Coordinates of all heavy atoms in Angstrom, one line a residue:
A593 N 6.3 9.8 3.5 CA 5.2 9.2 2.8 C 4.5 8.1 3.6 O 5.1 7.1 3.9 CB 5.7 8.7 1.4
Q594 N 3.2 8.3 3.9 CA 2.5 7.3 4.6 C 1.2 7.0 3.8 O 0.5 7.9 3.3 CB 2.1 7.9 6.0 CG 3.2 8.5 6.8 CD 4.2 7.4 7.3 OE1 3.8 6.3 7.7 NE2 5.5 7.7 7.2
A595 N 0.8 5.7 3.8 CA -0.3 5.3 3.0 C -1.0 4.1 3.7 O -0.4 3.3 4.3 CB 0.1 4.9 1.6
M596 N -2.3 4.0 3.4 CA -3.1 2.9 4.0 C -4.2 2.5 3.1 O -5.0 3.4 2.7 CB -3.6 3.3 5.4 CG -4.5 2.2 6.0 SD -3.7 0.7 6.4 CE -2.6 1.2 7.8
L597 N -4.3 1.2 2.8 CA -5.5 0.7 2.2 C -6.0 -0.4 3.2 O -5.4 -1.4 3.4 CB -5.2 0.0 0.8 CG -6.3 -0.4 -0.1 CD1 -5.8 -0.8 -1.5 CD2 -7.1 -1.6 0.4
F598 N -7.2 -0.1 3.7 CA -7.8 -0.9 4.8 C -9.2 -1.3 4.3 O -10.1 -0.5 4.1 CB -7.9 0.0 6.0 CG -8.3 -0.8 7.3 CD1 -7.4 -1.1 8.3 CD2 -9.7 -1.0 7.5 CE1 -7.8 -1.7 9.5 CE2 -10.1 -1.7 8.7 CZ -9.1 -2.0 9.7
H599 N -9.4 -2.6 4.1 CA -10.7 -3.1 3.6 C -11.3 -4.1 4.5 O -10.6 -5.1 5.0 CB -10.5 -3.8 2.2 CG -11.7 -4.3 1.6 ND1 -12.6 -3.4 0.9 CD2 -12.3 -5.5 1.5 CE1 -13.6 -4.1 0.4 NE2 -13.5 -5.3 0.8
I600 N -12.6 -3.9 4.8 CA -13.3 -4.8 5.7 C -14.1 -5.8 4.8 O -15.1 -5.4 4.2 CB -14.2 -4.1 6.6 CG1 -13.4 -3.0 7.4 CG2 -14.9 -5.0 7.6 CD1 -14.2 -1.9 8.1
L601 N -13.6 -7.0 4.7 CA -14.1 -7.9 3.6 C -15.6 -8.1 3.7 O -16.3 -8.0 2.6 CB -13.3 -9.2 3.7 CG -13.2 -10.0 2.4 CD1 -12.5 -9.2 1.3 CD2 -12.4 -11.3 2.7
E602 N -16.1 -8.5 4.8 CA -17.6 -8.9 4.9 C -18.5 -7.6 4.8 O -19.7 -7.8 4.5 CB -17.9 -9.6 6.2 CG -17.2 -11.0 6.3 CD -15.7 -11.0 6.7 OE1 -15.2 -9.8 7.0 OE2 -15.1 -12.0 6.8
D603 N -18.0 -6.5 5.2 CA -18.8 -5.3 5.2 C -18.7 -4.5 3.9 O -19.5 -3.6 3.6 CB -18.3 -4.4 6.4 CG -19.2 -3.2 6.6 OD1 -20.4 -3.5 7.0 OD2 -18.8 -2.1 6.5
G604 N -17.7 -4.8 3.1 CA -17.5 -4.0 1.8 C -17.0 -2.6 2.0 O -17.1 -1.8 1.0
A605 N -16.5 -2.3 3.1 CA -16.0 -0.9 3.4 C -14.5 -0.8 3.1 O -13.8 -1.7 3.5 CB -16.3 -0.5 4.8
T606 N -14.1 0.3 2.5 CA -12.7 0.6 2.3 C -12.3 1.9 2.8 O -13.0 2.9 2.6 CB -12.4 0.6 0.8 OG1 -12.8 -0.7 0.2 CG2 -11.0 0.8 0.5
I607 N -11.2 1.9 3.6 CA -10.7 3.2 4.1 C -9.3 3.4 3.4 O -8.5 2.5 3.4 CB -10.4 3.1 5.6 CG1 -11.7 2.9 6.3 CG2 -9.8 4.4 6.1 CD1 -11.5 2.5 7.8
L608 N -9.2 4.6 2.7 CA -7.9 4.9 2.1 C -7.4 6.2 2.7 O -8.1 7.2 2.8 CB -8.2 5.1 0.6 CG -8.5 3.9 -0.2 CD1 -9.0 4.2 -1.6 CD2 -7.2 3.0 -0.4
M609 N -6.1 6.2 3.0 CA -5.5 7.3 3.6 C -4.1 7.5 3.0 O -3.3 6.6 2.9 CB -5.3 7.2 5.1 CG -6.7 7.2 5.9 SD -6.5 7.1 7.7 CE -6.2 5.3 7.8
L610 N -3.9 8.7 2.4 CA -2.6 9.0 1.9 C -2.1 10.3 2.5 O -2.8 11.3 2.6 CB -2.7 9.2 0.3 CG -3.2 8.0 -0.5 CD1 -3.3 8.4 -2.0 CD2 -2.3 6.8 -0.3
S611 N -0.8 10.2 3.0 CA -0.3 11.4 3.7 C 1.1 11.7 3.3 O 1.8 10.8 2.8 CB -0.3 11.0 5.2 OG 0.3 12.1 6.0
N612 N 1.5 12.9 3.4 CA 2.9 13.4 3.1 C 3.7 13.8 4.3 O 4.7 14.4 4.1 CB 2.8 14.5 2.0 CG 2.1 15.7 2.5 OD1 1.0 15.6 3.1 ND2 2.6 16.9 2.2
T613 N 3.2 13.4 5.5 CA 4.0 13.7 6.7 C 3.9 12.5 7.6 O 2.9 11.8 7.7 CB 3.4 14.9 7.5 OG1 2.0 14.7 7.8 CG2 3.5 16.2 6.7
G614 N 5.0 12.3 8.3 CA 5.1 11.1 9.2 C 4.7 11.5 10.6 O 5.5 11.3 11.6
T615 N 3.5 12.0 10.8 CA 3.1 12.5 12.2 C 2.0 11.7 12.8 O 1.8 11.8 14.0 CB 2.6 14.0 12.1 OG1 1.5 14.0 11.1 CG2 3.7 14.9 11.6
A616 N 1.4 10.8 12.0 CA 0.2 10.1 12.6 C 0.4 8.6 12.3 O 0.9 8.2 11.2 CB -1.1 10.6 12.0
S617 N 0.0 7.7 13.2 CA -0.1 6.3 12.9 C -1.3 5.9 12.1 O -2.4 6.0 12.7 CB 0.0 5.5 14.3 OG -0.3 4.1 14.0
L618 N -1.1 5.6 10.9 CA -2.3 5.2 10.1 C -2.9 3.9 10.4 O -4.0 3.6 10.2 CB -1.9 5.3 8.6 CG -1.4 6.6 8.0 CD1 -1.4 6.6 6.5 CD2 -2.3 7.8 8.5
D619 N -2.0 3.1 11.1 CA -2.6 1.8 11.6 C -3.6 2.1 12.7 O -4.7 1.5 12.7 CB -1.4 0.9 12.2 CG -0.5 0.3 11.1 OD1 -1.1 -0.4 10.3 OD2 0.7 0.6 11.2
D620 N -3.3 2.9 13.6 CA -4.2 3.3 14.7 C -5.4 4.0 14.1 O -6.6 3.7 14.5 CB -3.5 4.1 15.8 CG -2.4 3.4 16.5 OD1 -2.4 2.2 16.5 OD2 -1.6 4.1 17.1
F621 N -5.2 4.9 13.2 CA -6.2 5.7 12.6 C -7.3 4.9 11.9 O -8.5 5.0 12.1 CB -5.6 6.7 11.7 CG -6.4 7.9 11.3 CD1 -5.9 8.9 10.4 CD2 -7.7 8.1 11.8 CE1 -6.7 10.0 10.1 CE2 -8.5 9.2 11.4 CZ -8.0 10.1 10.6
S622 N -6.8 4.0 11.1 CA -7.7 3.1 10.3 C -8.5 2.1 11.2 O -9.7 1.9 11.0 CB -7.0 2.3 9.3 OG -5.9 1.6 9.8
A623 N -7.8 1.6 12.3 CA -8.5 0.7 13.2 C -9.6 1.4 14.0 O -10.7 0.9 14.1 CB -7.5 0.1 14.2
D624 N -9.3 2.6 14.4 CA -10.3 3.4 15.2 C -11.4 3.9 14.2 O -12.6 3.9 14.6 CB -9.6 4.6 15.8 CG -8.7 4.2 17.0 OD1 -8.9 3.1 17.5 OD2 -7.9 5.0 17.4
M625 N -11.1 4.2 13.0 CA -12.1 4.7 12.0 C -13.0 3.5 11.7 O -14.2 3.8 11.5 CB -11.4 5.2 10.8 CG -12.3 6.1 9.9 SD -11.5 6.7 8.4 CE -10.2 7.6 9.1
A626 N -12.5 2.3 11.6 CA -13.4 1.2 11.3 C -14.5 1.0 12.3 O -15.7 0.7 12.0 CB -12.6 -0.1 11.3
K627 N -14.2 1.4 13.6 CA -15.3 1.3 14.6 C -16.4 2.4 14.4 O -17.5 2.2 14.8 CB -14.6 1.5 16.0 CG -13.6 0.5 16.4 CD -12.9 0.8 17.7 CE -11.8 -0.2 18.0 NZ -11.0 0.2 19.2
Q628 N -16.0 3.4 13.7 CA -17.0 4.5 13.4 C -17.9 4.2 12.3 O -19.0 4.7 12.2 CB -16.2 5.8 13.2 CG -15.2 6.2 14.2 CD -15.8 6.5 15.5 OE1 -16.9 7.1 15.6 NE2 -15.1 6.0 16.6
I629 N -17.4 3.4 11.3 CA -18.2 3.2 10.1 C -18.9 1.8 10.0 O -19.8 1.6 9.1 CB -17.3 3.4 8.9 CG1 -16.2 2.3 8.8 CG2 -16.7 4.8 8.9 CD1 -15.4 2.4 7.5
V630 N -18.5 0.9 10.9 CA -19.1 -0.4 10.8 C -20.1 -0.6 12.0 O -19.8 -0.3 13.1 CB -18.1 -1.5 10.9 CG1 -18.7 -2.9 11.0 CG2 -17.1 -1.5 9.7

Side-chain angles (χ1 to χ4, degrees):
Q594 309 293 318
M596 175 65 71
L597 191 166
F598 186 104
H599 184 77
I600 306 165
L601 205 57
E602 294 82 1
D603 190 64
T606 300
I607 300 168
L608 290 165
M609 292 181 281
L610 299 178
S611 176
N612 59 317
T613 57
T615 56
S617 168
L618 300 192
D619 286 305
D620 294 341
F621 199 178
S622 55
D624 289 341
M625 198 181 299
K627 298 174 185 176
Q628 307 297 319
I629 65 174
V630 174

